[in-house]
Amino acid sequence: TFEVPENNIDKGRLKVSVVNEENVPIKGAAVRLSYTGNPDNIIGESQIIKNTKSEALMASKSTSTVLIIGESGTGKELFARAIHNHSQRSENPFIAVNCAAIPDNLLESELFGYEEGAFTGAKKGGNLGKFELADKGTIFLDEIGDMSLHLQAKLLRVLQEKELNKIGSNLNKSIDVRVIAATNKNLENMVSNGLFREDLYYRLNVIPINLPSLRERKEDISLLIDFMVKEYAKKLDKDVEYVDESVLETLIKYKWPGNIRELQNIIEYSVNMSSSNRITVDILPSKIKQKPKNQVSMEIEDIETLDELERREIIKALNKYKDYKKDKDLVAKALG
């Protein structure tokens, strides 16, 4: 571990070699340097984000489980890391796991580990799970709503008993891990539909933190843009310094379905495409410049065919349940 003062981070390079316990260099090993942030350092001056940062600071002083709720791209992992870095566990590991990115049959061994010979292909000597790696620290379970009911039951036991059972082991091991979970789904609705365990939901939802969408904090967009332009100009070695006023107005009017992640994407694209020291409207992607389509209002005399009515209701149901694993079953049930 290297600690580099922030004011010196760009003034030199570190030559780092990664070695194993026998001091033999490991070829191809990756080293990442990152700043340790806390909720105060998260960009935003709107009242809603100030309130959220205040909640995160309070949560960092506790050891209770935190559930971060927010749309995709709102910065759930950023807040989780900030809570960890500002807590008494900051010197210990922060382990992040995306529950949606790992197939169910692998997620159990990834989280809880396994003993040697537990299954075909099991590594000699077994494997430590993410919970063991996070001992004395924090584990961040992103997209918790995608976890299967079987694993939800096992996670509930870990939270309740503070111990885990590896695959292929008859012994339980005590662990001290703080859990921060995150989701972009409505877990209460999932509980009602039998897709998420009610007992686990209440165990996770001790300290809920709701992250606002970018639409709810539009006054922060200019601050975020200034920061991102500088970051990407440096990263891409471009001389871009600012955006035109017309660009700012266009970006503030946009609905931002992808939130901050989408804004990052747009700014990186625009910095790449700029041939001067500023970003102009003509550089922006066409979807940003398009005026939002107004919802077509049906006139009283307009009559739709039954086929069109049926099609519209099916689409409405598909959109409502698209984030659920058994979406087609729920659609069929809702439509009778």
Side-chain angles (χ1 to χ4, degrees):
T1 303
F2 296 86
E3 290 186 8
V4 184
E6 283 191 27
N7 58 346
N8 291 329
I9 198 91
D10 291 319
K11 294 183 179 177
R13 293 185 178 183
L14 290 174
K15 186 175 182 181
V16 180
S17 61
V18 183
V19 297
N20 63 18
E21 292 177 355
E22 287 77 38
N23 210 35
V24 177
I26 301 172
K27 292 183 179 180
V31 178
R32 183 177 68 182
L33 297 177
S34 60
Y35 299 116
T36 53
N38 65 61
D40 279 334
N41 293 337
I42 293 172
I43 298 170
E45 293 299 327
S46 61
Q47 191 56 51
I48 192 168
I49 200 67
K50 281 182 178 179
N51 293 342
T52 307
K53 289 194 283 187
S54 176
E55 290 173 3
L57 279 170
M58 293 296 291
S60 68
K61 298 173 184 176
S62 169
T63 58
S64 297
T65 309
V66 176
L67 180 62
I68 302 175
I69 306 153
E71 294 178 11
S72 179
T74 49
K76 295 186 285 293
E77 184 169 344
L78 179 66
F79 269 86
R81 287 183 182 275
I83 290 169
H84 169 77
N85 290 335
H86 203 68
S87 72
Q88 293 181 344
R89 295 172 177 260
S90 60
E91 297 299 318
N92 297 311
F94 176 91
I95 304 294
V97 182
N98 189 315
C99 300
I102 306 171
D104 282 344
N105 58 333
L106 298 178
L107 186 57
E108 183 173 4
S109 61
E110 188 76 12
L111 289 175
F112 307 116
Y114 58 82
E115 296 289 356
E116 182 177 341
F119 50 83
T120 304
K123 190 165 66 175
K124 186 177 180 181
N127 192 53
L128 294 177
K130 300 298 187 186
F131 270 92
E132 276 189 277
L133 292 172
D135 196 30
K136 303 292 189 294
T138 303
I139 189 166
F140 174 57
L141 301 176
D142 198 7
E143 307 295 354
I144 191 72
D146 287 288
M147 183 177 283
S148 68
L149 289 168
H150 161 68
L151 287 183
Q152 288 177 32
K154 194 158 185 177
L155 174 60
L156 179 64
R157 177 171 176 79
V158 172
L159 292 174
Q160 287 177 331
E161 307 299 332
K162 304 294 183 185
E163 59 183 26
L164 60 82
N165 181 259
K166 284 186 173 184
I167 298 173
S169 173
N170 295 321
L171 300 174
N172 291 334
K173 180 176 180 178
S174 296
I175 54 166
D176 174 19
V177 176
R178 186 191 193 175
V179 174
I180 300 178
T183 184
N184 60 2
K185 297 181 178 178
N186 188 323
L187 293 187
E188 286 190 19
N189 283 350
M190 291 183 70
V191 168
S192 301
N193 289 311
L195 299 172
F196 201 85
R197 291 182 64 109
E198 185 176 19
D199 43 9
L200 177 60
Y201 170 67
Y202 290 119
R203 181 65 70 170
L204 291 172
N205 197 35
V206 178
I207 303 178
I209 296 177
N210 289 280
L211 298 193
S213 66
L214 197 52
R215 297 182 299 281
E216 298 173 274
R217 45 180 294 215
K218 288 201 168 186
E219 52 265 61
D220 292 330
I221 289 178
S222 60
L223 291 173
L224 290 164
I225 290 172
D226 288 343
F227 174 80
M228 290 175 187
V229 167
K230 291 174 185 174
E231 287 290 300
Y232 285 116
K234 184 190 296 183
K235 176 183 174 182
L236 300 169
D237 196 22
K238 302 273 286 191
D239 293 327
V240 182
E241 297 175 2
Y242 64 97
V243 302
D244 278 355
E245 192 66 32
S246 56
V247 170
L248 182 58
E249 290 175 8
T250 302
L251 295 180
I252 288 174
K253 288 177 183 176
Y254 184 63
K255 296 298 183 184
W256 298 112
N259 293 291
I260 296 173
R261 189 181 292 121
E262 185 180 8
L263 178 60
Q264 286 178 314
N265 178 277
I266 297 301
I267 297 301
E268 183 174 5
Y269 169 86
S270 301
V271 170
N272 269 302
M273 294 297 106
S274 177
S275 56
S276 66
N277 68 337
R278 62 196 176 98
I279 295 172
T280 54
V281 171
D282 58 295
I283 293 172
L284 294 176
S286 56
K287 70 169 185 176
I288 300 293
K289 294 180 282 187
Q290 288 173 356
K291 291 183 179 179
K293 293 180 181 178
N294 294 324
Q295 192 170 4
V296 180
S297 58
M298 294 290 293
E299 297 292 336
I300 295 174
E301 63 269 25
D302 288 344
I303 298 175
E304 288 188 287
T305 65
L306 293 178
D307 283 345
E308 184 58 32
L309 280 171
E310 183 181 39
R311 179 177 177 277
R312 214 154 38 87
E313 290 305 304
I314 291 171
I315 290 172
K316 188 194 299 183
L318 285 169
N319 285 331
K320 180 176 180 178
Y321 294 108
K322 65 182 179 182
D323 291 330
Y324 296 93
K325 280 194 171 181
K326 295 185 178 180
D327 55 337
K328 305 300 187 299
D329 292 347
L330 293 168
V331 168
K333 185 177 179 181
L335 294 169

